Amino acid sequence: MRFTLSSSILNSKLQVLARIINNKSSITILDCFLFEIKNNMLSITASDSENMMQTTIQLDESNEDGSFAVPSRTILEAVKELPDQPLMFDVNINNHTVEICYQNGKYNFTAQDAGEYPVMRQVPDEANVINIDGKLLYNSISRSLFATAQDELRPVMNGIYFDIKEDSITVVASDGHKLVRSQISSMNGNVTSSFILPKKPASLLKNILGRSDENIVIRFHEKSAEIKYTDGFMICRLIEGRYPNYNSVIPQNNPNELTIDRKSLLGALRRVLPFASESSQLIRFHIDSGNLELTSEDMDFATSAKENVICDYNGRTMDIGFKGGSLYEILTNLDCDDIIMHLADPSRAGVIEPATQAEDENILMLIMPMLLND
């Protein structure tokens, strides 16, 4: 069996698929890519037994259909250093040998039997279906991943929750200390349902989508989901369980409003955070009319820092503490000039929103306060 394709196209596809393969797998065949040729199209599959990704490439030429598996490390090393040029594959299915000829040389290595590659369980026909804009999905996943937990006792917190209504889709992530909620009003599923997407397939999806405006089709059932995009699809196992009522933890009446330039606050936080206790990362906010004072201190090493930032504040004078690392992540994952912090008192969660919201999105982030020792 012979076929020809571009080295740069093959390399770009393999680099994306390689992210799904585990470094150590108990099933040897899962260290391989599955190559399937049919009607002059090459389908490449990668899997870790819980998630599967497949992409397709139009071949320049091929003489017959067939399938084989190739070791991922071998094929990645073979093509990643090659400049853009045609590659000719000569595969002997019976002897499991592969020869790749390129401009100034060739590679030879052993293939694996495609029949040993596990078949991923398909999503049932009766699955729910939603269509979502690729750019909006990318943005929602990108700003949510950092807030997911790593909790063995509460696995539902380890993924991104999709809450689907007839008039909107809400994407939520929380680790109990911080929360992200992205409400997309321009998208709907025409159903009322939900699912929890694990962190790994969410990260893979983020890398695949980029900021394209393509239409993404998600079919999901109780245990699995199929996500189709322009040049391929992903099938992944979902996290089973009931996600907590995220709206119940969001304060509805935080009367004190702090409006501040996001980059100015981010810069000040970056400067004072190294002087905070490494274990607590406590940053004290002293907020008064027109001024925010950030203070950090590490008693063990006798270090401290203080910086003032101009702001617009409507509310009573307040001292409140936040974990600097969590606040830094929140500010980094917002894409806006100014933010508004809604505060009530030092014991209640602070709500952070962009000062200006996009027409079809409503973004909210929440951070729990830390106890101040006065």
Side-chain angles (χ1 to χ4, degrees), residues 110-122:
T110 303
Q112 302 292 323
D113 184 3
E116 297 179 9
Y117 206 85
V119 178
M120 192 74 180
R121 182 177 296 178
Q122 299 298 307

Side-chain angles (χ1 to χ4, degrees), residues 27-38:
I27 306 174
T28 306
I29 194 68
L30 291 181
D31 290 329
C32 297
F33 295 115
L34 177 64
F35 280 52
E36 298 174 285
I37 296 93
K38 188 175 182 180

Side-chain angles (χ1 to χ4, degrees), residues 3-70:
F3 59 93
T4 306
L5 76 166
S6 162
S7 62
S8 60
I9 293 176
L10 176 61
N11 182 52
S12 64
K13 302 291 188 182
L14 292 179
Q15 292 296 334
V16 173
L17 291 174
R19 298 173 185 269
I20 204 171
I21 298 175
N22 292 330
N23 291 329
K24 293 182 179 180
S25 176
S26 57
I27 306 174
T28 306
I29 194 68
L30 291 181
D31 290 329
C32 297
F33 295 115
L34 177 64
F35 280 52
E36 298 174 285
I37 296 93
K38 188 175 182 180
N39 299 328
N40 212 44
M41 294 290 295
L42 169 63
S43 297
I44 309 176
T45 303
S47 176
D48 64 358
S49 78
E50 291 192 350
N51 309 288
M52 186 268 282
M53 288 173 60
Q54 186 178 101
T55 190
T56 56
I57 302 174
Q58 178 70 52
L59 296 174
D60 297 333
E61 59 179 336
S62 64
N63 65 347
E64 63 177 297
D65 295 344
S67 59
F68 59 97
V70 295

Side-chain angles (χ1 to χ4, degrees), residues 102-279:
Y102 59 98
Q103 189 173 359
N104 298 312
K106 64 180 180 180
Y107 300 120
N108 288 280
F109 54 90
T110 303
Q112 302 292 323
D113 184 3
E116 297 179 9
Y117 206 85
V119 178
M120 192 74 180
R121 182 177 296 178
Q122 299 298 307
V123 177
D125 294 337
E126 64 272 18
N128 294 312
V129 181
I130 60 172
N131 292 269
I132 187 167
D133 178 83
K135 185 176 181 180
L136 290 176
L137 181 60
Y138 169 84
N139 289 338
S140 298
I141 290 176
S142 296
R143 74 172 66 98
S144 302
L145 276 169
F146 82 95
T148 55
Q150 292 182 340
D151 192 335
E152 294 182 0
L153 299 178
R154 295 186 300 170
V156 294
M157 307 297 286
N158 299 340
I160 298 177
Y161 179 61
F162 285 73
D163 189 9
I164 303 156
K165 307 295 184 185
E166 293 187 359
D167 59 350
S168 67
I169 295 176
T170 304
V171 182
V172 182
S174 177
D175 62 2
H177 302 284
K178 53 188 179 289
L179 177 144
V180 179
R181 187 190 71 185
S182 302
Q183 211 164 35
I184 308 171
S185 57
S186 62
M187 296 289 160
N188 62 78
N190 296 319
V191 293
T192 299
S193 189
S194 63
F195 64 89
I196 306 172
L197 185 66
K199 188 182 299 186
K200 182 175 180 177
S203 300
L204 292 167
L205 198 58
K206 173 190 169 184
N207 292 320
I208 293 166
L209 295 178
R211 295 182 179 272
S212 72
D213 293 324
E214 64 178 299
N215 181 60
I216 309 299
V217 180
I218 303 177
R219 297 175 61 247
F220 63 97
H221 201 246
E222 293 178 355
K223 297 182 178 181
S224 60
E226 178 188 80
I227 304 167
K228 287 189 176 181
Y229 39 91
T230 300
D231 58 356
F233 66 91
M234 176 195 303
I235 296 177
C236 60
R237 185 175 297 174
L238 300 175
I239 298 175
E240 296 181 60
R242 186 181 182 88
Y243 203 80
N245 182 359
Y246 57 90
N247 284 316
S248 67
V249 302
I250 300 173
Q252 300 303 312
N253 183 26
N254 278 9
N256 305 303
E257 286 192 3
L258 167 70
T259 304
I260 192 168
D261 180 79
R262 182 182 66 88
K263 290 183 179 178
S264 296
L265 178 56
L266 195 58
L269 191 61
R270 189 183 295 118
R271 288 183 286 272
V272 302
L273 186 55
F275 294 86
S277 167
E278 189 174 340
S279 59

